[in-house]
Every structure is written in C-alpha cells, then in structure tokens.
Amino acid sequence: MSPTDFMAHPVQFPTLRKDLIFYPGPRSSRGEPSWTLHDPSRNRFFRIGWLEFEILTRLELRDLEQIVTSINAGTTLTTNREQIAAFIRFLTVNSLVNATGTEGFSRLRAQSASMIRNWSTTLLHSYLFFRIPLIRPDRFLVMTLPAVSWMFSERFVAVICFSAMLGLYLITRQWEAFFSTFSYLFSWQGAALFAGTLSVIKVAHEFGHAYAARHYGCRVPVMGIAFLVMWPVLFTDTSEAWKLASKHQRLVIGAAGMLAELILAILATLAWSLFPDGPLRSIALFVATTNWIMTLTLNLSPFMRFDGYFLFSDWIGIQNLHERSSVLGRWWLRHLLLGTNRPCPESLPRNKRRFLIAFAYATWLYRLILFLGIALLVYHFFFKLAGVFLMAVEIGWFIALPIANELKYWIKDREHIYINTRTSITFITASTLIVFAVIPWASQITAPAVMKKDYYTRIFSTLPGRIESLTVEEGKTVQKGDPLLHISSKDIEYRLIKSRLDIMLAQWQLTFQGMDPKMMDQNPVIQRELETSLTEYNGILAEQKKMSFVAPFSGEVVAISEHLKKGDWIRKDELLFELVDHKKWLLEAFIDESDLERISVGAEGIFYPEILDWPPIKAHVTRIDDVGTKDLSDPYLVSPFGGHIPVKKNIQTHKDDRKEWIPETSIYRVILEPSEFPEDLHSLLRGTVTMKGVPRSMFSKMWKAAVAILIRESGF
C-alpha cells in the first residue's frame, strides 16, 4: 500500500475486545517469542508473533507514524506502515476488535449477511461436509482422568515397548498360523466382528485425543460424528491444544489417537498368541495388523486435515500449513506462467519457501487423485441418476472450481500482468492446446483387427455318438456339399423307434375307434397325442440330420482332431475339424461406438500386422455392422488372450472350445477386404488397422463420450 493509498483510505484504529485471552506461545526458530490469542466466543485461536504483539501494545497511539517510530526505536524490530495496516485489517476481518460507530456496525452486518447462504449452497456444503455434535465430554473426562492417568507414565511406556517385542517374538515362531487366521474374516461372522471391532477402535482413537488434551489442562468442548462426502468419521474438538506453549505436549495430543490404536494393536498381538482359534483370535489379528496399519497410513498423511497434518505442521513449526503453502504455490505458478513481479507473500528462507511450494503441489496432486476416487465411489454407490449428479458435483467443487477461481484472479489482476517472455510462452502453449482440442484434425481411426480366411468355420459335434463314416483327412480339399462325417447315436435310434410306435398306436386308435363306443369319447385326446408324436418325430429326424456333416463351402480341411477315426465315440460339442478357403481373405476390425458415424463403406485403410516381419497391407471397407457386437466367439482380439478389446466372460457359455466374451464397451464390427496378402500366410494374423474417417476434434470426442455416459446412466 502506497502513501497515496493511506491518504485516500485512512486507517481506523479499533480497540481490542476485552474477552480475548492471551497465552504464551512457543518460540520461533530464531528464538523470538510468540503468543496465542484465544477468542472464547468462537473457540478460535490465533498465533501472533513478536511484531504483532508490539503493535497491539501501541494501538492507543492511534497514529501509524508514531507506532512505527516507537517500535523501531524501542525494540530491535524494524517495521513500516504497510505491515501495521495489514495487521489492523487482520484484527478487523477476524472480528477481534470492538465494533463502534456506523462503519463498524455496517461491517458486522456485511459479515453476517455473507454467512447466509441460499438453500442450494447449504445443501451442497452439507453433502460435502457436515458435523453432528453428540456429547460434551469435558466433565466426564475430568472425572475419569485419574483412572487413566497412569497411561502417561514412563513405566507404562516401558511395559508397552516390552509387550511389543514379546508379541513380535511369539508371532515369528508361528507365522503360518498367524496368516491362516485371516480366513475367518471372509465369513459373515468375520465381517460383523470386523465392523464392530473397527467401531470400538475408532472410539478409543477419539478418547485418546480427549484424555491427552485433558491431561495437559485443555478443555474438550465436544465430540461427535463428521460426514465427509457422506462417509462417517468421528471427531474430537481439541483446538485448545493451541494454547500450549510446549511443542511436545501438542504433539502428544495430536498423536494420542494413533498411539491409542497402536497400544491396542500391540496388546492384541500379544493376546493372539494366547487365544485359541476362533472369533477372538481373528479379532486380535485384525486389531494387530490390518486396522492399525490402514489407520496409520490414512491418518499420517499430511495432505488432508487429519492427525498427520497437525502433527507434521507442529513438528516443522509452520501453522496453517495448507493455507500458507497454497498461497505460495499460486504465487509461484503466476510467476512461472505469467512472469508477474509481485513480491513473495511471506519472507521466508529459500529452502523453506521451496519446500512449501513443493508441498502445495504434492497436496493438490494427492487431493486430485483422492477426490476423483471419491467421485467414482459416489457414482457407483448411488443409484444412476444421483450418482452422475453427485459425481459432477465432486469434480466441479474440488477440481473445476479451484481452476476457475485461479483464472478469475488472472482476469481481475490483468492490469499487473505485462507482456513478457513467460506470458508469451503461456499464451502460445494455451492457444496451441485449445486449437488442438477444438479444431477437427484427427481423421484417422485405429482399431484392433485380425486377418483371416473369408470362409472359415469350426465344426463341432452336436450330439454324443459313434463315428460311422469319415471321408476327410488333414489337408484334403473338398467341394461344397461333399459328405464329411456321419455320426450314429443309439439314443436317437431308440427315440425314433419309440416315436414311430407312438404314431402307429395313435393312428390305429383313430382308425378303429368306431368299433368301441368308449373310444369315441377319447377322440380329441388321441388326436392331440398323434400331433405331439408327429412333432416329436420330425424333431428327432432334424437332430439325426445334424449328425451328418457336409461341406458348407469349398475349401481345405485343417486342424482335424488327432483321435478322430471311424468307430470312435465322441462327446457333445467336441471340436471335430476346421474348414477354410485359402482363396479369399478378409480383415475383421472392431471400432468404438463414437467412431461409427465417422466411417463409411469404401474407406481406405492400412493393416499393420502384430508380427513385425510382415509388411503393412492396404485394404478398403466393405461392410459395417448396424448392430453392436454382443459377444466375441473368437478369442484372438480379447484382452485375456493379449488382445486390445476389454471383455468379460459370458458366464452363460462355458463349453470347452466355445468360450464367448462380452465386450465391456459398445463396439461395432467392420469388414475390410485386403488388396493383397502374403502367400505363405496359413493362419490368423493379428494386428491393428487404421482407416480414414471424418475429422473430429478432441473436444467433440470428449463431449460426445460424456453425453453418451449421461444418457446411458440416467435410467434407474
């Protein structure tokens, strides 16, 4: 702030509120004293340094120049009008001063109005995070603290350390039994015990924080449940730990929850060696391993405001770590991309400043991955329409909104952004990316493909039976309609004889019913039986016809079964042989649904074989299926066999050699005719085909994919 600004906007000198409480704070790394300012009306704490304390003691001077002169002359500190004005604004914004006059009351009304949200914003914030206070435990903690105070003694710590070593020693003597106990957790009884044990341990975690805070004289006003994106977590208000000057005490309070779980894990490890097999031993195993490892992994992360964050922040001596690092991260980003020459928001040593900037970017990356994961979980756990909406809220609030706010700041601060090398590079890069995303330049369509015979079939036995005649052998050329194989079945023959007898009996009854009046009454029944027998007979004949195999087209018999010979018995659905036509080849490719409208019959393409020894082969599109492929009978392109089409097993088909696979996404088959093919190619050839299609932009592709997902998932 320049002197002109001070003349135009004179600083108002407020008076500090009388209910504020000051506590001695920890000394800084340079040995300077600090104080903790407690606002009891909101139970909020503010850490101020030596300079801020000196300013507070001189507010009654009510003149910037006099305060600057007094501090510079009476202390070893050096300050200026801007620093003093900024601290006064800090006191005013955080309502730490008395509101007097019209301006003061107007400011309070404006702050109160800013806290009022409309119903949609309130609902959104309530969905993302809200707390439910359950109990006020302070009186209970004071009464019961003597019963647990022995846990803070050095003797108890020594006992726990000895128990940990003893438990680990006993486990090393029975590793196999230790890990075999895991199996109980996969039953419904184990799942119920898992949930119950987890609930008890989490309660112990929160009471660990509460008792540690009370042990050091800090009040615990409330305990309850917080919901983070509808996921319940317990919470304990230990904010009074801020008033403690001892870093050791604050660290103990911050780590007490994890230490409580660790103590339970150590005792459970020891108990596991003593319990017999059963539920209690499984619970001990769970407490000793899975739960506390997962809890420590989650709680120790400094990238979210859990225990690990406060421990890390207090350990390195940087309060408000997330906020301060984020400010530095944004400042460095603006300096990197825009070349702004604004001074660093904080006067810090170079190494500490670099650390905070790196920490900010690590936090943003961690939260990006975490919130995307939460968005996917929300999408899958809610019904479809709500899942899509809530996932959009997650991405919009945690990802898109911070980016939009940063861009809004750039626009607002455009007067201080000048054309330089960095702004030019940023502008050119951004423009290139936008052009790359918007202009429809991508005309190539790439799809997994396989080159195979145009006429190719695998012949399976339709019924179990005995081979009566076999007129083919490996490598034999046959013509369309030539007999290949005949199978006889005693079951078919028996059913045919029985069906003929049933037909003859029904016909005889209808012919001679005039001789017996009683049979006249059964005429409709006999007629229906005759029709049923005729239908059954025709069906058996159709089955018998299928037991004689003829060549469906002219070609060569290949891959004939080794044990196939006259007189052998074969089972149903057994692969007998394959028939191929070597004179004509085709390319079978599968494209994504979004590329369907971009390609047409006659489009040119190039097939790149998977085997590098084969040269690329030119081809053109001859047919495009109008209906999406529901299953893939040939496994050559599916992911379980090294292909590029993600599939899932069709559980309704599980025959030995006829496994079918269902595509995970909508795909359409495209048939191409190659202009040439290698003469020494005798088998299938897998690869990739590229085809020329209608140009499309990346933005259009992503937009259509998003709309397709929305339409597909909007149903219930």
Side-chain angles (χ1 to χ4, degrees), residues 198-225:
L198 181 63
S199 302
V200 172
I201 290 176
K202 290 306 177 184
V203 171
H205 177 106
E206 297 305 321
F207 270 98
H209 288 302
Y211 277 118
R214 193 67 262 185
H215 175 74
Y216 292 116
C218 299
R219 188 173 62 92
V220 181
V222 67
M223 295 176 67
I225 299 178

Side-chain angles (χ1 to χ4, degrees), residues 234-272:
L234 298 175
F235 78 91
T236 302
D237 187 354
T238 58
S239 56
E240 281 208 9
W242 276 88
K243 71 181 185 182
L244 300 175
S246 171
K247 177 186 288 189
H248 170 75
Q249 294 176 353
R250 295 194 305 272
L251 290 175
V252 170
I253 295 174
M258 291 182 289
L259 291 175
E261 294 189 23
L262 188 58
I263 290 170
L264 290 176
I266 292 171
L267 297 177
T269 303
L270 185 60
W272 179 87

Side-chain angles (χ1 to χ4, degrees), residues 357-375:
I357 293 173
F359 181 81
Y361 283 91
T363 302
W364 294 343
L365 179 61
Y366 177 87
R367 291 186 175 185
L368 174 65
I369 298 172
L370 177 65
F371 291 140
L372 281 177
I374 293 176

Side-chain angles (χ1 to χ4, degrees), residues 673-692:
E673 181 179 341
S675 58
E676 57 181 345
F677 59 89
E679 296 181 357
D680 53 347
L681 181 61
H682 300 291
S683 182
L684 299 173
L685 187 59
R686 189 170 61 182
T688 303
V689 64
T690 60
M691 297 165 284
K692 291 184 179 180

